[in-house]
Amino acid sequence: MEAYLDNSATTRVSEAVKDIIVQTMMVDYGNPSSRHQKGVNAERYVRQARERIAATLKVKDREIYFTSGGTESNNWALIGGALANRRAGKHIITTAVEHAAVLQPLSFLKDMGFRITYLPVDEHGHISLDDLKAQLDQDTILVSTMYVNNEIGAVEPVSEIGELVKAYNEQILFHVDAIQAYGKYRIFPEKLHIDMLSVSGHKIHGPKGSGFLYIHEKAKVRPLIYGGGQQRGMRSGTENVPGCAGLGVAAMEAYTDFDRKVDSMRACKKRLMEGLSKVEGAHIISLEEEAPQIVSCSFEGVRSEVFLHALEEKGVYVSSGSACSSNKKTPVSTVLQEIHLSPQMQDSTLRFSFCDTTSFEEIDYALSCIRELYPVLKRYMRR
């Protein structure tokens, strides 16, 4: 049997997504900027995808810009937002537990002379609103936070952050990395005071290399990519029609029968956590009431990489942290450090992540493999 429990790393594309990708690659393959019928047909797919995505967020179609994925969306929001507003100030506030796709662009901006404040988090991965309020000043131009933490599933108080930031200064841009939240939560940017929202396609059964950035029509953001003037001059380059079309279908599907899908993920999470709680030496890090798709757990005495590969041999696929960085020779999780896990627990933590098609059968099989392998691995590691 196979149990794929690494859906926060990537998901399998849905049948409908696969079908529209094939259609736009093999039949309606025109350049959307071309004026002949092939081009018109291709442009129609892009326009329809934008409409579908905008509908899920209750925003205007023209506020959706297609990108190559979450990393580009985050880079564009941060660098483009900072450069467009640097005359107003050079102070940016974020959290200490952001994804590298946020931390690295901010490091770049720091080298350019911007001042970056990293808010600490508590043992569950949450920032303090009082800390945020204390750091806001007249030089602040941008606040950026993730909605759902990709490693432990912590949910930041996005609504309260937005209210606080805008009450202090309406001109401050508020960016949210929603890559692990979109499709798991109903997100309405205007209600939440969000100016920019980053999303990745392959986290929601869409194609890899697809994503979008929502930019409020009044937000000042500079383009990062110049050239042919596509997407209203904000993101040049021939649109990835199969990626856009597939992402549009994935977005529509994510919010169809939404409550049932989220309930299904929550049920899987509860079942796994109940099973892990009975395993001696297993320490669950994630909170049950937070993100429905992520469970982080530390297994005392066994290195995560060793356990990951042992489970892999049984057909159980999990992660030892963020898949975007866990292939390094010595992966160090900033998130686990910031929530003050001991070095031993940091080195023995696995992430299990679900999607709406994850079954109880997969959860039970994974638990049976954990119960079988864990005692053996612990004895081996003690030698």
Side-chain angles (χ1 to χ4, degrees):
M1 182 180 173
E2 181 174 293
Y4 182 74
L5 303 179
D6 199 18
N7 289 276
S8 286
T10 197
T11 55
R12 178 181 178 177
V13 299
S14 72
E15 288 296 320
V17 169
K18 179 200 72 176
D19 290 344
I20 201 167
I21 290 173
V22 172
Q23 178 72 19
T24 50
M25 292 182 78
M26 302 302 295
V27 180
D28 298 316
Y29 51 81
N31 186 319
S33 296
S34 296
R35 297 185 179 182
H36 51 65
Q37 193 59 48
K38 282 284 188 184
V40 171
N41 292 344
E43 193 277 332
R44 188 179 298 122
Y45 283 99
V46 176
R47 184 174 68 252
Q48 183 183 52
R50 185 174 283 112
E51 291 169 354
R52 286 171 166 171
I53 293 167
T56 68
L57 300 172
K58 294 186 178 180
V59 299
K60 299 177 178 66
D61 301 355
R62 63 177 178 271
E63 295 176 314
I64 302 298
Y65 297 90
F66 291 108
T67 67
S68 62
T71 296
E72 183 190 335
S73 294
N74 282 338
N75 273 258
W76 183 9
L78 296 167
I79 298 173
L83 294 181
N85 294 274
R86 59 183 165 181
R87 289 186 178 180
K90 287 194 171 184
H91 181 219
I92 300 170
I93 301 174
T94 189
T95 82
V97 292
E98 296 299 312
H99 190 279
V102 166
L103 296 178
Q104 290 300 314
L106 290 178
S107 178
F108 167 78
L109 288 169
K110 182 179 179 181
D111 291 341
M112 292 186 66
F114 287 84
R115 177 167 56 95
I116 316 297
T117 296
Y118 301 91
L119 299 175
V121 295
D122 62 21
E123 69 273 21
H124 299 301
H126 305 130
I127 68 160
S128 161
L129 293 174
D130 288 337
D131 285 348
L132 171 60
K133 187 174 182 179
Q135 294 298 331
L136 290 167
D137 61 35
Q138 295 304 309
D139 197 42
T140 306
I141 57 170
L142 174 61
V143 173
S144 178
T145 181
M146 53 175 41
Y147 196 127
V148 169
N149 186 270
N150 56 297
E151 292 189 42
I152 62 175
V155 180
E156 298 299 341
V158 169
S159 178
E160 292 85 349
I161 293 171
E163 288 182 12
L164 179 58
V165 169
K166 295 301 182 179
Y168 183 86
N169 182 353
E170 287 189 355
Q171 299 306 310
I172 296 174
L173 290 177
F174 181 33
H175 167 248
V176 172
D177 174 346
I179 290 166
Q180 295 291 347
Y182 185 77
K184 315 303 187 300
Y185 291 88
R186 288 190 173 91
I187 306 172
F188 304 123
E190 292 205 6
K191 184 178 179 181
L192 298 173
H193 308 286
I194 296 171
D195 297 298
M196 299 178 288
L197 186 86
S198 301
V199 173
S200 176
H202 73 107
K203 310 295 186 180
I204 57 166
H205 306 286
K208 294 176 182 63
S210 69
F212 69 84
L213 179 65
Y214 157 78
I215 304 177
H216 190 279
E217 61 183 350
K218 293 183 180 179
K220 289 173 59 180
V221 183
R222 280 183 54 174
L224 293 189
I225 300 175
Y226 296 86
Q230 290 87 348
Q231 299 201 67
R232 302 172 65 231
M234 288 291 285
R235 203 277 190 179
S236 290
T238 301
E239 292 92 340
N240 171 13
V241 179
C244 297
L247 176 56
V249 170
M252 181 180 66
E253 289 185 328
Y255 286 95
T256 300
D257 201 13
F258 175 77
D259 290 334
R260 181 198 62 77
K261 291 175 179 176
V262 172
D263 287 346
S264 175
M265 286 183 277
R266 286 210 175 276
C268 286
K269 179 176 183 175
K270 182 178 181 180
R271 194 176 186 93
L272 178 64
M273 292 181 75
E274 288 176 348
L276 291 174
S277 68
K278 299 173 184 176
V279 177
E280 186 178 355
H283 303 277
I284 300 171
I285 299 166
S286 302
L287 297 177
E288 184 177 339
E289 64 269 22
E290 297 213 87
Q293 80 276 23
I294 295 174
V295 172
S296 181
C297 184
S298 180
F299 294 88
E300 185 181 320
V302 178
R303 290 183 58 222
S304 56
E305 187 176 354
V306 173
F307 208 166
L308 182 152
H309 290 302
L311 288 169
E312 178 189 10
E313 290 182 2
K314 294 283 189 177
V316 179
Y317 299 93
V318 300
S319 174
S320 58
S322 173
C324 302
S325 58
S326 62
N327 60 349
K328 296 177 182 177
K329 289 184 178 179
T330 310
V332 177
S333 169
T334 302
V335 176
L336 300 183
Q337 289 177 336
E338 290 294 329
I339 63 173
H340 305 299
L341 282 190
S342 68
Q344 293 77 17
M345 288 185 69
Q346 292 176 38
D347 196 39
S348 63
T349 298
L350 293 178
R351 181 189 68 183
F352 305 81
S353 50
F354 328 115
C355 69
D356 57 281
T357 61
T358 302
S359 67
F360 277 5
E361 186 180 16
E362 289 177 280
I363 300 297
D364 292 344
Y365 178 64
L367 284 168
S368 70
C369 292
I370 289 169
R371 288 190 290 265
E372 174 190 347
L373 294 170
Y374 185 34
V376 177
L377 293 172
K378 272 205 293 189
R379 287 196 297 271
Y380 174 78
M381 296 294 287
R382 289 195 188 110
R383 294 178 182 177

